[in-house]
Amino acid sequence: MKILFEGFSKLYMRKRYQRLQEAGFLMPADISYLSSGGLQDLELADHFIENAIGYMQIPLGVASNFRIDGVDRIIPMAVEETSIIAAASKTARWVREEGTLTTGIEGKCIIGQIQLAVVSNFEKFSKVISQEKMGLIELANRDVAHGLVARGGGVQDLTIRSVARPDGKTMGIIHVYLDPVDAMGANIMNQVCEYLRGPIQKISGETVNMCILSNLVDSRVTWAEVRLPRIDSDLGNRIAEASLFAELDPYRAATNNKGVLNGVDPILVATGNDWRAVEAGVHAYAARSGQYRSITRWTYTKELGLVGRFEAPLIAGTVGGVTKLHPTAKVSLQILGIESASELSRIMAAVGLVQNLGALKALTTVGIIEGHMRLHIRNLTLGAGALEKESPILQR
Ligand code: MEV
């Protein structure tokens, strides 16, 4: 794998394909598909969305040097921002050489919500739903989520919440907890909630107003951790101070989290996943204490060195949606070499955390202009009409 990564960014595209093929990440058919410009099938575009008129092409690249949970990974990223893949690969090399990058997931289930706008007697409602809970779960699993049950998932639990309304009445909300296995689970969750609408109304005598999944999935939280035990203490302290800034100040937290999502969104796009859902979930999770905070924390101590942690819901799928329909998403999943949605989520957490580390290191040392603008200036010169061969002269 080290050979694959060596000098990767300096190679011509043809050579990059060759290396990726030799290492088993790309097949000859993938290379001809990618090198001829990727997806051009307009019928498929028409199939994906309403009123299609074409494709918006975004560059697809691979970040190198990642070793996550002891496994070497090539990270496909679809993104227009010039410095992201370069920064990810560079920072990943630092972590690979000097430290560790580990990940995990707490919880399995995603959340669906069934709203009863006004519940006339909440105590009675809560009691009757609790009594009938197992029956409702069985019903949903038998009639709607049987495919998931066969794969080890399905509806696992129902809980009941009350929310005080401004008019003094009580709103009732039922949360449906469902293990979507390898799917992102949005469609099946919505089907389950809508299916339960009738039985819930029947047994409670109350009226359901709406059903939809929640993107604030605090029941399935992905974490990643970087440890750099030998980091220079001055740099370690600077990064910890930058992290404290983002923890305490929402203005900085927003930008910090944008930098983390620089590592997450491009993987979501490359694999055909719903990045708006993940964005919504991450930001809601970042604000769960009532104040918007950073989703990463970095601390420095002499004993442990620099320790960074990412924690947020990152719900994505490896089946369903367009993940298996969009040929580029299929190639990206193949490059990642993953078996499950949880692996995808853990890889995204790891890349987001490393991306954040790269940004904090730059911001607390040379500043952002150095790396960011040096790469961006190439686009500016090309945008101003310079030829590819003239751009390096203008950048001097
Ligand atoms: C730019 O895309 C991302 C940064 O602003 C992130 C950060 O400030 O942490 C550099």
Side-chain angles (χ1 to χ4, degrees), residues 217-295:
V217 194
D218 55 3
S219 48
R220 182 176 170 133
V221 172
T222 307
W223 60 265
E225 194 175 88
V226 161
R227 284 176 182 262
L228 286 167
R230 293 184 296 278
I231 193 172
D232 166 73
S233 62
D234 183 52
L235 179 58
N237 277 314
R238 281 168 182 272
I239 291 174
E241 284 302 325
S243 174
L244 192 61
F245 182 16
E247 191 181 332
L248 300 178
D249 177 27
Y251 289 88
R252 172 59 203 152
T255 323
N256 178 86
N257 292 350
K258 189 276 181 184
V260 177
L261 290 163
N262 275 347
V264 174
D265 285 0
I267 306 175
L268 290 165
V269 177
T271 55
N273 270 288
D274 181 349
W275 71 94
R276 287 92 52 212
V278 171
E279 286 268 344
V282 164
H283 296 302
Y285 191 76
R288 70 195 182 286
S289 69
Q291 182 186 318
Y292 187 88
R293 295 182 193 278
S294 52
I295 47 167

Side-chain angles (χ1 to χ4, degrees), residues 12-154:
Y12 285 114
M13 207 179 285
R14 201 170 19 86
K15 272 274 173 199
R16 281 183 224 141
Y17 289 140
Q18 196 184 324
R19 285 235 192 135
L20 289 168
Q21 185 184 349
E22 280 163 9
F25 292 98
L26 290 180
M27 303 296 131
D30 305 324
I31 297 174
S32 21
Y33 165 73
L34 291 171
S35 60
S36 61
L39 187 55
Q40 280 151 22
D41 179 351
L42 290 173
E43 258 178 48
L44 200 54
D46 223 13
H47 179 72
F48 284 151
I49 60 164
E50 201 76 8
N51 299 347
I53 57 167
Y55 286 100
M56 164 66 193
Q57 307 285 17
I58 304 179
L60 175 73
V62 289
S64 55
N65 301 321
F66 275 87
R67 178 172 289 157
I68 304 170
D69 297 314
V71 179
D72 289 327
R73 299 276 185 189
I74 301 281
I75 314 290
M77 299 176 91
V79 68
E80 86 302 340
E81 193 174 324
T82 318
S83 57
I84 287 179
I85 294 180
S89 304
K90 189 174 162 201
T91 316
R93 190 171 63 216
W94 181 30
V95 174
R96 181 191 183 86
E97 286 170 358
E98 298 286 328
T100 54
L101 176 53
T102 51
T103 64
I105 295 196
E106 302 295 337
K108 281 184 171 178
C109 289
I110 58 170
I111 300 172
Q113 295 192 293
I114 300 171
Q115 182 217 17
L116 298 98
V118 178
V119 171
S120 52
N121 181 340
F122 184 77
E123 229 170 86
K124 190 170 150 236
F125 168 74
S126 177
K127 199 166 159 210
V128 82
I129 298 296
S130 303
Q131 273 166 0
E132 300 296 327
K133 181 166 111 168
M134 292 320 293
L136 290 166
I137 294 173
E138 268 167 36
L139 197 65
N141 279 336
R142 191 195 67 198
D143 294 351
V144 188
H146 41 84
L148 286 181
V149 174
R151 303 209 310 273

